[in-house]
Amino acid sequence: MTKDEMIAKLTPAIGDTVYGKALIELLADTFDDADKKYGQDALDRIDDRLGFLKGWEKKHAALGEEAKAAAEAEKVAVLEKAQAALK
């Protein structure tokens, strides 16, 4: 998949949210990482973020910080849509 194809798949799926736009920009910027650090592609990067944000969502919920947990849940939903669009 080329960078343009990736952007074309992600934009209708997540491009209508602020976090989605930021994610598309980040994935586009790191699409062809010159040094191939860690050998990650877009799906790997999304998977990493999903794990991280799901952990913070649980932590905030356990601490009774519902607003913060809800914010993380919104980001998780965007990432899951992005993941589905790229599979």
Side-chain angles (χ1 to χ4, degrees):
M1 171 182 337
T2 67
K3 180 174 24 177
D4 291 335
E5 291 171 336
M6 179 190 70
I7 292 170
K9 287 181 178 185
L10 290 175
T11 300
I14 63 171
D16 60 340
T17 65
V18 174
Y19 186 70
K21 289 176 186 175
L23 181 63
I24 291 170
E25 185 176 322
L26 175 71
L27 292 173
D29 288 345
T30 59
F31 182 80
D32 192 21
D33 190 8
D35 62 0
K36 296 292 182 201
K37 189 174 186 181
Y38 309 119
Q40 289 188 320
D41 63 11
L43 279 172
D44 293 331
R45 293 174 195 274
I46 290 170
D47 192 47
D48 285 350
R49 282 178 174 257
L50 271 170
F52 179 77
L53 291 176
K54 284 180 179 182
W56 276 106
E57 180 184 0
K58 280 184 178 181
K59 182 175 181 177
H60 290 309
L63 294 173
E65 299 171 334
E66 296 305 318
K68 289 181 180 180
E72 301 299 356
E74 288 177 19
K75 291 176 185 176
V76 166
V78 169
L79 286 166
E80 287 173 342
K81 287 179 185 177
Q83 191 176 48
L86 293 179
K87 284 189 175 181

CSV table of all heavy atoms in Angstrom, one decimal, residues 14-71:
chain,number,residue,atom,x,y,z
A,14,ILE,N,-11.8,8.0,9.5
A,14,ILE,CA,-11.5,8.7,10.8
A,14,ILE,C,-11.2,10.2,10.6
A,14,ILE,O,-11.0,10.9,11.5
A,14,ILE,CB,-10.3,8.1,11.5
A,14,ILE,CG1,-9.1,8.2,10.7
A,14,ILE,CG2,-10.6,6.7,11.9
A,14,ILE,CD1,-7.8,7.8,11.5
A,15,GLY,N,-11.3,10.7,9.4
A,15,GLY,CA,-10.9,12.1,9.1
A,15,GLY,C,-11.8,13.2,9.6
A,15,GLY,O,-11.5,14.3,9.4
A,16,ASP,N,-13.0,12.8,10.1
A,16,ASP,CA,-13.9,13.8,10.6
A,16,ASP,C,-13.7,14.1,12.1
A,16,ASP,O,-14.5,14.9,12.6
A,16,ASP,CB,-15.4,13.3,10.4
A,16,ASP,CG,-15.7,12.0,11.1
A,16,ASP,OD1,-14.7,11.3,11.5
A,16,ASP,OD2,-16.8,11.7,11.3
A,17,THR,N,-12.7,13.6,12.7
A,17,THR,CA,-12.4,14.0,14.1
A,17,THR,C,-11.0,14.6,14.2
A,17,THR,O,-10.2,14.4,13.4
A,17,THR,CB,-12.4,12.7,15.0
A,17,THR,OG1,-11.3,11.9,14.6
A,17,THR,CG2,-13.7,11.9,14.9
A,18,VAL,N,-10.9,15.4,15.2
A,18,VAL,CA,-9.6,16.1,15.5
A,18,VAL,C,-8.5,15.0,15.7
A,18,VAL,O,-7.4,15.1,15.1
A,18,VAL,CB,-9.7,17.0,16.7
A,18,VAL,CG1,-8.3,17.6,17.0
A,18,VAL,CG2,-10.7,18.1,16.4
A,19,TYR,N,-8.8,14.0,16.5
A,19,TYR,CA,-7.8,13.0,16.8
A,19,TYR,C,-7.5,12.2,15.5
A,19,TYR,O,-6.4,11.8,15.2
A,19,TYR,CB,-8.2,12.1,17.9
A,19,TYR,CG,-7.2,11.1,18.3
A,19,TYR,CD1,-6.0,11.4,19.0
A,19,TYR,CD2,-7.3,9.7,18.0
A,19,TYR,CE1,-5.0,10.5,19.3
A,19,TYR,CE2,-6.4,8.8,18.3
A,19,TYR,CZ,-5.2,9.2,19.0
A,19,TYR,OH,-4.2,8.3,19.3
A,20,GLY,N,-8.5,11.9,14.7
A,20,GLY,CA,-8.4,11.2,13.5
A,20,GLY,C,-7.5,11.9,12.5
A,20,GLY,O,-6.6,11.3,11.9
A,21,LYS,N,-7.7,13.2,12.4
A,21,LYS,CA,-6.9,14.0,11.5
A,21,LYS,C,-5.4,14.0,11.9
A,21,LYS,O,-4.5,13.9,11.1
A,21,LYS,CB,-7.4,15.5,11.4
A,21,LYS,CG,-8.7,15.6,10.7
A,21,LYS,CD,-9.2,17.0,10.7
A,21,LYS,CE,-10.6,17.0,10.1
A,21,LYS,NZ,-11.3,18.4,10.2
A,22,ALA,N,-5.2,14.2,13.2
A,22,ALA,CA,-3.8,14.2,13.8
A,22,ALA,C,-3.2,12.8,13.5
A,22,ALA,O,-2.0,12.7,13.2
A,22,ALA,CB,-3.9,14.5,15.3
A,23,LEU,N,-3.9,11.7,13.7
A,23,LEU,CA,-3.4,10.4,13.5
A,23,LEU,C,-3.0,10.2,12.0
A,23,LEU,O,-2.0,9.6,11.7
A,23,LEU,CB,-4.4,9.3,13.9
A,23,LEU,CG,-4.0,7.9,13.8
A,23,LEU,CD1,-2.8,7.6,14.7
A,23,LEU,CD2,-5.2,7.0,14.1
A,24,ILE,N,-3.9,10.6,11.1
A,24,ILE,CA,-3.6,10.5,9.7
A,24,ILE,C,-2.3,11.3,9.4
A,24,ILE,O,-1.4,10.8,8.7
A,24,ILE,CB,-4.7,11.0,8.8
A,24,ILE,CG1,-5.9,10.1,8.9
A,24,ILE,CG2,-4.3,11.1,7.3
A,24,ILE,CD1,-7.2,10.6,8.3
A,25,GLU,N,-2.2,12.5,9.9
A,25,GLU,CA,-1.0,13.3,9.7
A,25,GLU,C,0.3,12.5,10.2
A,25,GLU,O,1.3,12.5,9.5
A,25,GLU,CB,-1.1,14.6,10.3
A,25,GLU,CG,0.0,15.6,10.0
A,25,GLU,CD,-0.2,16.9,10.6
A,25,GLU,OE1,-1.3,17.4,10.6
A,25,GLU,OE2,0.8,17.5,11.1
A,26,LEU,N,0.2,12.0,11.4
A,26,LEU,CA,1.3,11.3,12.0
A,26,LEU,C,1.7,10.1,11.2
A,26,LEU,O,2.9,9.8,10.9
A,26,LEU,CB,1.0,10.9,13.4
A,26,LEU,CG,2.1,10.0,14.1
A,26,LEU,CD1,3.3,10.9,14.4
A,26,LEU,CD2,1.5,9.4,15.4
A,27,LEU,N,0.7,9.3,10.8
A,27,LEU,CA,1.0,8.1,10.0
A,27,LEU,C,1.6,8.4,8.7
A,27,LEU,O,2.4,7.7,8.1
A,27,LEU,CB,-0.3,7.2,9.9
A,27,LEU,CG,-0.8,6.6,11.2
A,27,LEU,CD1,-2.1,5.9,11.0
A,27,LEU,CD2,0.2,5.6,11.8
A,28,ALA,N,1.1,9.5,8.1
A,28,ALA,CA,1.6,9.9,6.8
A,28,ALA,C,3.1,10.4,6.9
A,28,ALA,O,3.9,10.1,6.1
A,28,ALA,CB,0.8,11.0,6.2
A,29,ASP,N,3.4,11.1,8.0
A,29,ASP,CA,4.7,11.6,8.2
A,29,ASP,C,5.7,10.5,8.5
A,29,ASP,O,6.9,10.6,8.1
A,29,ASP,CB,4.8,12.6,9.4
A,29,ASP,CG,4.2,13.9,9.1
A,29,ASP,OD1,3.9,14.2,7.9
A,29,ASP,OD2,3.9,14.7,10.1
A,30,THR,N,5.3,9.4,9.1
A,30,THR,CA,6.1,8.3,9.4
A,30,THR,C,6.0,7.1,8.5
A,30,THR,O,6.5,6.0,8.8
A,30,THR,CB,5.9,7.8,10.9
A,30,THR,OG1,4.5,7.4,11.0
A,30,THR,CG2,6.2,8.9,11.9
A,31,PHE,N,5.2,7.3,7.4
A,31,PHE,CA,4.9,6.2,6.5
A,31,PHE,C,6.2,5.5,5.9
A,31,PHE,O,6.3,4.3,5.9
A,31,PHE,CB,4.1,6.7,5.3
A,31,PHE,CG,3.7,5.6,4.4
A,31,PHE,CD1,2.7,4.7,4.7
A,31,PHE,CD2,4.4,5.4,3.2
A,31,PHE,CE1,2.3,3.6,3.9
A,31,PHE,CE2,4.0,4.3,2.3
A,31,PHE,CZ,3.0,3.5,2.7
A,32,ASP,N,7.1,6.3,5.4
A,32,ASP,CA,8.3,5.8,4.8
A,32,ASP,C,9.5,6.3,5.6
A,32,ASP,O,10.4,7.0,5.2
A,32,ASP,CB,8.4,6.2,3.4
A,32,ASP,CG,9.5,5.5,2.6
A,32,ASP,OD1,9.9,4.4,3.1
A,32,ASP,OD2,10.0,6.0,1.6
A,33,ASP,N,9.5,5.8,6.9
A,33,ASP,CA,10.6,6.2,7.8
A,33,ASP,C,12.0,5.7,7.2
A,33,ASP,O,12.2,4.5,7.0
A,33,ASP,CB,10.4,5.5,9.1
A,33,ASP,CG,11.2,5.9,10.2
A,33,ASP,OD1,12.0,6.9,10.1
A,33,ASP,OD2,11.2,5.3,11.3
A,34,ALA,N,12.8,6.7,7.0
A,34,ALA,CA,14.1,6.4,6.3
A,34,ALA,C,14.9,5.4,6.9
A,34,ALA,O,15.5,4.5,6.3
A,34,ALA,CB,14.9,7.7,6.1
A,35,ASP,N,15.0,5.4,8.3
A,35,ASP,CA,15.8,4.4,9.0
A,35,ASP,C,15.1,3.2,9.3
A,35,ASP,O,15.7,2.2,9.9
A,35,ASP,CB,16.5,5.1,10.2
A,35,ASP,CG,15.5,5.5,11.2
A,35,ASP,OD1,14.3,5.4,11.0
A,35,ASP,OD2,16.0,6.0,12.3
A,36,LYS,N,13.8,3.1,9.1
A,36,LYS,CA,13.0,1.9,9.4
A,36,LYS,C,13.2,1.4,10.8
A,36,LYS,O,13.3,0.3,11.1
A,36,LYS,CB,13.3,0.7,8.4
A,36,LYS,CG,13.0,1.0,7.0
A,36,LYS,CD,11.5,1.1,6.8
A,36,LYS,CE,11.2,1.4,5.3
A,36,LYS,NZ,9.9,2.0,5.1
A,37,LYS,N,13.2,2.4,11.7
A,37,LYS,CA,13.4,2.1,13.1
A,37,LYS,C,12.3,1.2,13.6
A,37,LYS,O,11.1,1.5,13.4
A,37,LYS,CB,13.4,3.4,13.9
A,37,LYS,CG,13.8,3.2,15.4
A,37,LYS,CD,13.9,4.6,16.0
A,37,LYS,CE,14.4,4.4,17.4
A,37,LYS,NZ,14.5,5.7,18.1
A,38,TYR,N,12.6,0.1,14.1
A,38,TYR,CA,11.6,-0.9,14.6
A,38,TYR,C,10.9,-1.6,13.5
A,38,TYR,O,10.1,-2.5,13.8
A,38,TYR,CB,10.6,-0.3,15.6
A,38,TYR,CG,11.2,0.5,16.7
A,38,TYR,CD1,10.9,1.8,16.9
A,38,TYR,CD2,12.1,-0.1,17.6
A,38,TYR,CE1,11.5,2.6,17.9
A,38,TYR,CE2,12.7,0.7,18.6
A,38,TYR,CZ,12.4,2.0,18.7
A,38,TYR,OH,13.0,2.8,19.7
A,39,GLY,N,11.0,-1.3,12.3
A,39,GLY,CA,10.4,-1.9,11.2
A,39,GLY,C,8.8,-1.9,11.3
A,39,GLY,O,8.2,-2.8,10.8
A,40,GLN,N,8.3,-0.8,11.8
A,40,GLN,CA,6.8,-0.8,12.0
A,40,GLN,C,6.1,-0.2,10.8
A,40,GLN,O,6.6,0.8,10.2
A,40,GLN,CB,6.5,0.1,13.2
A,40,GLN,CG,6.8,-0.6,14.5
A,40,GLN,CD,6.3,0.2,15.7
A,40,GLN,OE1,6.3,1.4,15.7
A,40,GLN,NE2,5.8,-0.5,16.7
A,41,ASP,N,4.9,-0.7,10.5
A,41,ASP,CA,4.1,-0.1,9.5
A,41,ASP,C,2.9,0.6,10.2
A,41,ASP,O,2.9,0.6,11.5
A,41,ASP,CB,3.6,-1.1,8.5
A,41,ASP,CG,2.7,-2.2,9.1
A,41,ASP,OD1,2.3,-2.1,10.2
A,41,ASP,OD2,2.5,-3.2,8.3
A,42,ALA,N,2.0,1.1,9.5
A,42,ALA,CA,0.9,1.9,10.1
A,42,ALA,C,0.1,1.0,11.0
A,42,ALA,O,-0.3,1.5,12.1
A,42,ALA,CB,0.0,2.5,9.0
A,43,LEU,N,-0.2,-0.2,10.6
A,43,LEU,CA,-1.0,-1.1,11.5
A,43,LEU,C,-0.3,-1.4,12.8
A,43,LEU,O,-0.9,-1.4,13.9
A,43,LEU,CB,-1.4,-2.4,10.8
A,43,LEU,CG,-2.6,-2.3,9.9
A,43,LEU,CD1,-2.7,-3.6,9.1
A,43,LEU,CD2,-3.8,-2.0,10.6
A,44,ASP,N,1.0,-1.6,12.8
A,44,ASP,CA,1.8,-1.8,14.0
A,44,ASP,C,1.7,-0.5,14.9
A,44,ASP,O,1.6,-0.7,16.1
A,44,ASP,CB,3.3,-2.0,13.7
A,44,ASP,CG,3.5,-3.3,12.9
A,44,ASP,OD1,2.7,-4.3,13.1
A,44,ASP,OD2,4.5,-3.4,12.2
A,45,ARG,N,1.8,0.6,14.3
A,45,ARG,CA,1.8,1.9,15.1
A,45,ARG,C,0.4,2.0,15.7
A,45,ARG,O,0.3,2.5,16.9
A,45,ARG,CB,2.1,3.1,14.2
A,45,ARG,CG,3.6,3.1,13.8
A,45,ARG,CD,3.8,4.2,12.8
A,45,ARG,NE,5.1,4.0,12.1
A,45,ARG,CZ,6.3,4.4,12.5
A,45,ARG,NH1,6.4,5.0,13.7
A,45,ARG,NH2,7.3,4.2,11.8
A,46,ILE,N,-0.6,1.7,15.0
A,46,ILE,CA,-2.0,1.8,15.5
A,46,ILE,C,-2.2,0.8,16.7
A,46,ILE,O,-2.7,1.2,17.7
A,46,ILE,CB,-3.0,1.6,14.4
A,46,ILE,CG1,-3.0,2.8,13.4
A,46,ILE,CG2,-4.4,1.3,15.0
A,46,ILE,CD1,-3.8,2.5,12.2
A,47,ASP,N,-1.7,-0.4,16.5
A,47,ASP,CA,-1.8,-1.4,17.5
A,47,ASP,C,-1.1,-1.0,18.8
A,47,ASP,O,-1.6,-1.2,19.9
A,47,ASP,CB,-1.2,-2.7,17.0
A,47,ASP,CG,-1.6,-3.9,17.9
A,47,ASP,OD1,-2.7,-4.0,18.3
A,47,ASP,OD2,-0.7,-4.7,18.2
A,48,ASP,N,0.1,-0.4,18.7
A,48,ASP,CA,0.8,0.1,19.8
A,48,ASP,C,0.0,1.2,20.6
A,48,ASP,O,-0.1,1.1,21.8
A,48,ASP,CB,2.2,0.7,19.4
A,48,ASP,CG,3.2,-0.3,19.1
A,48,ASP,OD1,3.0,-1.5,19.3
A,48,ASP,OD2,4.3,0.1,18.6
A,49,ARG,N,-0.6,2.1,19.8
A,49,ARG,CA,-1.4,3.2,20.4
A,49,ARG,C,-2.6,2.6,21.1
A,49,ARG,O,-3.0,3.1,22.2
A,49,ARG,CB,-1.8,4.2,19.4
A,49,ARG,CG,-0.7,5.1,19.0
A,49,ARG,CD,-1.1,6.1,17.9
A,49,ARG,NE,-0.1,7.1,17.7
A,49,ARG,CZ,-0.1,8.3,18.2
A,49,ARG,NH1,-1.2,8.8,18.9
A,49,ARG,NH2,0.9,9.1,17.9
A,50,LEU,N,-3.2,1.6,20.5
A,50,LEU,CA,-4.4,1.0,21.1
A,50,LEU,C,-4.1,0.4,22.4
A,50,LEU,O,-4.8,0.6,23.4
A,50,LEU,CB,-5.0,-0.1,20.2
A,50,LEU,CG,-6.0,0.3,19.1
A,50,LEU,CD1,-6.2,-0.9,18.2
A,50,LEU,CD2,-7.3,0.8,19.8
A,51,GLY,N,-3.0,-0.3,22.5
A,51,GLY,CA,-2.7,-0.9,23.8
A,51,GLY,C,-2.4,0.1,24.9
A,51,GLY,O,-2.8,0.0,26.0
A,52,PHE,N,-1.7,1.2,24.5
A,52,PHE,CA,-1.3,2.2,25.4
A,52,PHE,C,-2.6,3.0,25.9
A,52,PHE,O,-2.8,3.2,27.1
A,52,PHE,CB,-0.4,3.2,24.7
A,52,PHE,CG,0.0,4.4,25.5
A,52,PHE,CD1,1.0,4.3,26.4
A,52,PHE,CD2,-0.5,5.6,25.2
A,52,PHE,CE1,1.4,5.4,27.2
A,52,PHE,CE2,-0.1,6.7,26.0
A,52,PHE,CZ,0.8,6.6,26.9
A,53,LEU,N,-3.5,3.3,25.0
A,53,LEU,CA,-4.7,4.1,25.3
A,53,LEU,C,-5.7,3.2,26.1
A,53,LEU,O,-6.4,3.8,27.0
A,53,LEU,CB,-5.3,4.7,24.1
A,53,LEU,CG,-4.5,5.8,23.5
A,53,LEU,CD1,-5.2,6.3,22.2
A,53,LEU,CD2,-4.3,7.0,24.4
A,54,LYS,N,-5.8,2.0,25.8
A,54,LYS,CA,-6.7,1.1,26.5
A,54,LYS,C,-6.2,1.0,28.0
A,54,LYS,O,-7.0,0.9,28.9
A,54,LYS,CB,-6.8,-0.3,25.9
A,54,LYS,CG,-7.7,-0.3,24.7
A,54,LYS,CD,-7.7,-1.7,24.0
A,54,LYS,CE,-8.6,-1.7,22.8
A,54,LYS,NZ,-8.8,-3.0,22.2
A,55,GLY,N,-4.9,0.9,28.2
A,55,GLY,CA,-4.3,0.9,29.5
A,55,GLY,C,-4.7,2.2,30.3
A,55,GLY,O,-5.1,2.1,31.5
A,56,TRP,N,-4.5,3.3,29.7
A,56,TRP,CA,-4.8,4.6,30.3
A,56,TRP,C,-6.3,4.7,30.6
A,56,TRP,O,-6.8,5.2,31.6
A,56,TRP,CB,-4.3,5.8,29.5
A,56,TRP,CG,-2.9,6.0,29.8
A,56,TRP,CD1,-1.9,5.8,29.0
A,56,TRP,CD2,-2.4,6.6,31.0
A,56,TRP,NE1,-0.7,6.1,29.6
A,56,TRP,CE2,-1.0,6.6,30.9
A,56,TRP,CE3,-2.9,7.0,32.2
A,56,TRP,CZ2,-0.1,7.1,31.8
A,56,TRP,CZ3,-2.1,7.5,33.2
A,56,TRP,CH2,-0.7,7.6,33.0
A,57,GLU,N,-7.2,4.2,29.7
A,57,GLU,CA,-8.6,4.2,29.9
A,57,GLU,C,-9.0,3.4,31.2
A,57,GLU,O,-9.7,3.9,32.0
A,57,GLU,CB,-9.3,3.6,28.7
A,57,GLU,CG,-10.8,3.6,28.8
A,57,GLU,CD,-11.5,2.9,27.6
A,57,GLU,OE1,-10.8,2.5,26.7
A,57,GLU,OE2,-12.7,2.9,27.7
A,58,LYS,N,-8.4,2.2,31.3
A,58,LYS,CA,-8.6,1.4,32.5
A,58,LYS,C,-8.1,2.1,33.8
A,58,LYS,O,-8.8,2.1,34.8
A,58,LYS,CB,-7.9,0.1,32.4
A,58,LYS,CG,-8.7,-0.9,31.5
A,58,LYS,CD,-7.9,-2.3,31.6
A,58,LYS,CE,-8.6,-3.3,30.8
A,58,LYS,NZ,-7.9,-4.6,30.8
A,59,LYS,N,-6.9,2.7,33.7
A,59,LYS,CA,-6.4,3.3,34.8
A,59,LYS,C,-7.2,4.5,35.3
A,59,LYS,O,-7.5,4.7,36.5
A,59,LYS,CB,-5.0,3.8,34.5
A,59,LYS,CG,-4.3,4.5,35.7
A,59,LYS,CD,-2.8,4.8,35.4
A,59,LYS,CE,-2.2,5.5,36.7
A,59,LYS,NZ,-0.8,5.8,36.5
A,60,HIS,N,-7.7,5.4,34.4
A,60,HIS,CA,-8.5,6.5,34.7
A,60,HIS,C,-9.9,6.0,35.3
A,60,HIS,O,-10.4,6.6,36.3
A,60,HIS,CB,-8.8,7.4,33.5
A,60,HIS,CG,-7.6,8.1,33.0
A,60,HIS,ND1,-6.8,8.9,33.9
A,60,HIS,CD2,-7.0,8.3,31.8
A,60,HIS,CE1,-5.8,9.5,33.2
A,60,HIS,NE2,-5.9,9.1,31.9
A,61,ALA,N,-10.4,5.0,34.7
A,61,ALA,CA,-11.7,4.4,35.2
A,61,ALA,C,-11.5,3.9,36.6
A,61,ALA,O,-12.4,4.1,37.5
A,61,ALA,CB,-12.2,3.3,34.3
A,62,ALA,N,-10.4,3.2,36.9
A,62,ALA,CA,-10.2,2.7,38.2
A,62,ALA,C,-10.0,3.8,39.3
A,62,ALA,O,-10.3,3.6,40.4
A,62,ALA,CB,-8.9,1.8,38.2
A,63,LEU,N,-9.5,4.9,38.8
A,63,LEU,CA,-9.3,6.1,39.7
A,63,LEU,C,-10.5,6.9,39.8
A,63,LEU,O,-10.5,8.0,40.6
A,63,LEU,CB,-8.1,6.9,39.3
A,63,LEU,CG,-6.7,6.2,39.3
A,63,LEU,CD1,-5.7,7.1,38.7
A,63,LEU,CD2,-6.4,5.9,40.8
A,64,GLY,N,-11.6,6.6,39.1
A,64,GLY,CA,-12.8,7.3,39.2
A,64,GLY,C,-12.8,8.6,38.3
A,64,GLY,O,-13.6,9.5,38.5
A,65,GLU,N,-11.8,8.7,37.4
A,65,GLU,CA,-11.7,9.8,36.6
A,65,GLU,C,-12.4,9.6,35.3
A,65,GLU,O,-11.9,9.3,34.2
A,65,GLU,CB,-10.2,10.1,36.3
A,65,GLU,CG,-9.4,10.5,37.6
A,65,GLU,CD,-7.9,10.5,37.3
A,65,GLU,OE1,-7.4,9.9,36.4
A,65,GLU,OE2,-7.3,11.2,38.1
A,66,GLU,N,-13.8,9.6,35.3
A,66,GLU,CA,-14.6,9.2,34.2
A,66,GLU,C,-14.4,10.1,33.0
A,66,GLU,O,-14.5,9.6,31.9
A,66,GLU,CB,-16.1,9.2,34.7
A,66,GLU,CG,-16.4,8.2,35.7
A,66,GLU,CD,-16.0,6.8,35.4
A,66,GLU,OE1,-16.2,6.4,34.2
A,66,GLU,OE2,-15.4,6.1,36.2
A,67,ALA,N,-14.2,11.4,33.1
A,67,ALA,CA,-14.0,12.3,32.0
A,67,ALA,C,-12.8,11.9,31.2
A,67,ALA,O,-12.8,11.8,30.0
A,67,ALA,CB,-14.0,13.7,32.4
A,68,LYS,N,-11.7,11.6,32.0
A,68,LYS,CA,-10.5,11.2,31.3
A,68,LYS,C,-10.6,9.8,30.6
A,68,LYS,O,-10.1,9.6,29.5
A,68,LYS,CB,-9.3,11.2,32.3
A,68,LYS,CG,-8.9,12.6,32.8
A,68,LYS,CD,-7.7,12.5,33.7
A,68,LYS,CE,-7.3,13.9,34.2
A,68,LYS,NZ,-6.2,13.8,35.2
A,69,ALA,N,-11.3,8.9,31.3
A,69,ALA,CA,-11.5,7.6,30.7
A,69,ALA,C,-12.4,7.7,29.5
A,69,ALA,O,-12.1,7.0,28.5
A,69,ALA,CB,-12.2,6.7,31.8
A,70,ALA,N,-13.3,8.6,29.5
A,70,ALA,CA,-14.2,8.8,28.3
A,70,ALA,C,-13.4,9.3,27.1
A,70,ALA,O,-13.6,8.9,26.0
A,70,ALA,CB,-15.4,9.6,28.6
A,71,ALA,N,-12.5,10.3,27.4
A,71,ALA,CA,-11.6,10.8,26.4
A,71,ALA,C,-10.7,9.8,25.8
A,71,ALA,O,-10.6,9.7,24.5
A,71,ALA,CB,-10.8,12.0,27.0
